[in-house]
Amino acid sequence: QSPLMLTSRSQLTVPLLAGLEVTGVITLESEEPVFFTEEDSYYLTQLANQLMIAIENKRLFQRISETRDRLQLILDTMSEGIVLIDEHGVVALANPRVALIGLSPEQLLGQSVESLLAQPDLQLSSRMGFQNPDSFRKLLRQPAGLNGSAPVSYTVEIHAVARHVERFIIPLESPTGDPVGWLLVFYDETEARELLDMRADLSNMIVHDLRSPLTAVTTGLKLMREIVPPDAPFRPMVISTVETSQRAIRKMLIRVDSLLDISQMDSGQLVLETQPTDLATIADSVCVELSPLAQELDVTLTTSIDDETPAVDADPDKLERILQNLVDNALKFCPAGGQVIIRARPPAARESGRRQVRIDVIDTGPGIPDEYKTRLFDRFVQMRERRGARRGSGLGLTFCKMVVEAHGGKIWIEDNPTGGSIFAFTLPVADLPADPDIG
């Protein structure tokens, strides 16, 4: 290295190393020749090492500060409340969204959970979704037992307003697997809960407000049919119009009942009245009901129920409505000249510990795209790119899925090998009493 002073006669230079990379040098010069000794070199090397450690610490501190600031910015903009409790039971982090449970970061940060629980006005345990302070303390003592724990939903009152909260607890571990803390995440479910309640109220209002007028119209049509003289020349036209109107009203009543049943199943209030039920009888009833519509659409509607098919353990009314929905859906998209078949065969295997009968509703329509084969059972989902002969409500298949699963069965969609679709579902075989004349 070139001398720094023109009068320099000796020089000692030590590199500043960051790993194997030279980031700088320390240079000493003297006007005397051979001025620096091995001891000077040793001490200057130690000074260089200490200087590099200080530089690296400063850089690390800057990176940590930048990361902390970015993390804090993210936490401050989150819609969820976040509380981090370290392995010593001290609140190490809390974002402003803990206000949704009536707390603030200033109240929590740096405080031990035990000291916070000792403040009755804070109501820490109830605000964080624990039944009592002891259940909160149990969290701190047994972090390992929380792995895979389900979320907890609860209600907390903030300024005389009820707020619905869902809480998740995530145990934190070190790279060696040792517990190092707990992350509590709080979601505000108030708006979602209110929307669900509003939808339920709207559904109930629609159901109860539609049932009475539809029943009145049905009674009026029945009276009209009875008072038309048998020899009146316009009687055939009146009878045809009345029958068409009655079918439409029955279809509307089925949709109203489906909406009510879906609402009851959501709330756990629907009770199935199951009994040994003959599939052939139900299928024939559905065919009689929908045959006029099938004839109008020029579609052949038939049944294929094996004589050895056992009775199923089902609610007859609900089973009939399942088949009505599935057959009506098949007729909706089946082209003129097509065919719809209700088929059932004796069970060949056990599912969920009970024998299951499989029932198929087969059509020769355009088929169902793969991306819709599961989505069609969701509420109000319809294939946008396809229009059938009639528009549906998007609730029929939802009703079918919920009722089949309530019976302990399954429902799905398959491709028909000859073209079209197969809507298949299973129901448990009825346990009939043994015949006393046998054996």
Side-chain angles (χ1 to χ4, degrees), residues 357-372:
V357 175
R358 168 171 166 162
I359 304 101
D360 298 330
V361 175
I362 307 167
D363 67 67
T364 55
I368 305 295
D370 290 341
E371 63 269 23
Y372 277 101

Side-chain angles (χ1 to χ4, degrees), residues 147-181:
N147 288 332
S149 62
V152 172
S153 296
Y154 64 99
T155 302
V156 61
E157 191 170 290
I158 309 298
H159 304 303
V161 177
R163 189 171 293 278
H164 302 287
V165 180
E166 188 174 34
R167 185 205 68 204
F168 287 80
I169 299 177
I170 305 170
L172 304 179
E173 297 181 346
S174 68
T176 59
D178 297 323
V180 296

Side-chain angles (χ1 to χ4, degrees), residues 47-276:
L47 177 62
N49 292 337
Q50 293 298 321
L51 181 59
M52 282 306 303
I53 291 174
I55 293 173
E56 286 300 317
N57 285 342
K58 183 178 180 181
R59 291 176 178 173
L60 179 60
F61 179 78
Q62 289 176 337
R63 288 196 295 268
I64 292 174
S65 298
E66 292 171 358
T67 302
R68 181 200 60 198
D69 293 343
R70 286 197 297 268
L71 176 61
Q72 191 64 50
L73 180 61
I74 293 172
L75 292 174
D76 289 349
T77 57
M78 289 179 66
S79 59
E80 298 83 11
I82 301 290
V83 174
L84 176 63
I85 303 173
D86 66 21
E87 69 271 24
H88 303 297
V90 175
V91 178
L93 184 149
N95 71 341
R97 280 296 291 162
V98 294
L100 72 90
I101 56 174
L103 299 171
S104 68
E106 293 77 15
Q107 292 174 302
L108 303 176
L109 287 173
Q111 301 292 319
S112 69
V113 170
E114 196 60 47
S115 65
L116 294 171
L117 291 173
Q119 303 176 37
D121 294 341
L122 202 59
Q123 301 177 353
L124 185 71
S125 57
S126 61
R127 292 185 185 278
M128 290 195 172
F130 294 94
Q131 293 181 351
N132 50 60
D134 286 339
S135 61
F136 202 162
R137 294 186 181 100
K138 184 178 179 181
L139 161 70
L140 307 182
R141 293 195 301 266
Q142 299 177 345
L146 292 171
N147 288 332
S149 62
V152 172
S153 296
Y154 64 99
T155 302
V156 61
E157 191 170 290
I158 309 298
H159 304 303
V161 177
R163 189 171 293 278
H164 302 287
V165 180
E166 188 174 34
R167 185 205 68 204
F168 287 80
I169 299 177
I170 305 170
L172 304 179
E173 297 181 346
S174 68
T176 59
D178 297 323
V180 296
W182 304 264
L183 185 67
L184 282 67
V185 185
F186 302 91
Y187 295 88
D188 189 350
E189 297 291 316
T190 305
E191 184 176 353
R193 182 77 64 87
E194 290 174 349
L195 288 174
L196 285 175
D197 292 342
M198 289 173 60
R199 186 174 69 178
D201 292 341
L202 178 61
S203 297
N204 290 332
M205 181 189 69
I206 291 173
V207 168
H208 295 294
D209 287 354
L210 281 178
R211 186 185 293 276
S212 295
L214 287 174
T215 303
V217 172
T218 301
T219 303
L221 290 172
K222 182 179 180 180
L223 178 62
M224 181 185 299
R225 181 170 185 165
E226 291 175 352
I227 65 175
V228 174
D231 56 349
F234 54 83
R235 179 177 174 82
M237 181 181 65
V238 171
I239 296 300
S240 175
T241 302
V242 167
E243 289 178 347
T244 301
S245 300
Q246 286 178 327
R247 287 200 305 271
I249 291 173
R250 282 196 296 271
K251 186 175 182 64
M252 181 65 74
L253 283 171
I254 288 173
R255 288 181 176 175
V256 169
D257 289 338
S258 296
L259 187 59
L260 179 59
D261 286 340
I262 289 172
S263 177
Q264 289 178 334
M265 279 185 281
D266 279 339
S267 61
Q269 298 175 353
L270 182 69
V271 177
L272 297 176
E273 298 179 357
T274 60
Q275 63 187 57

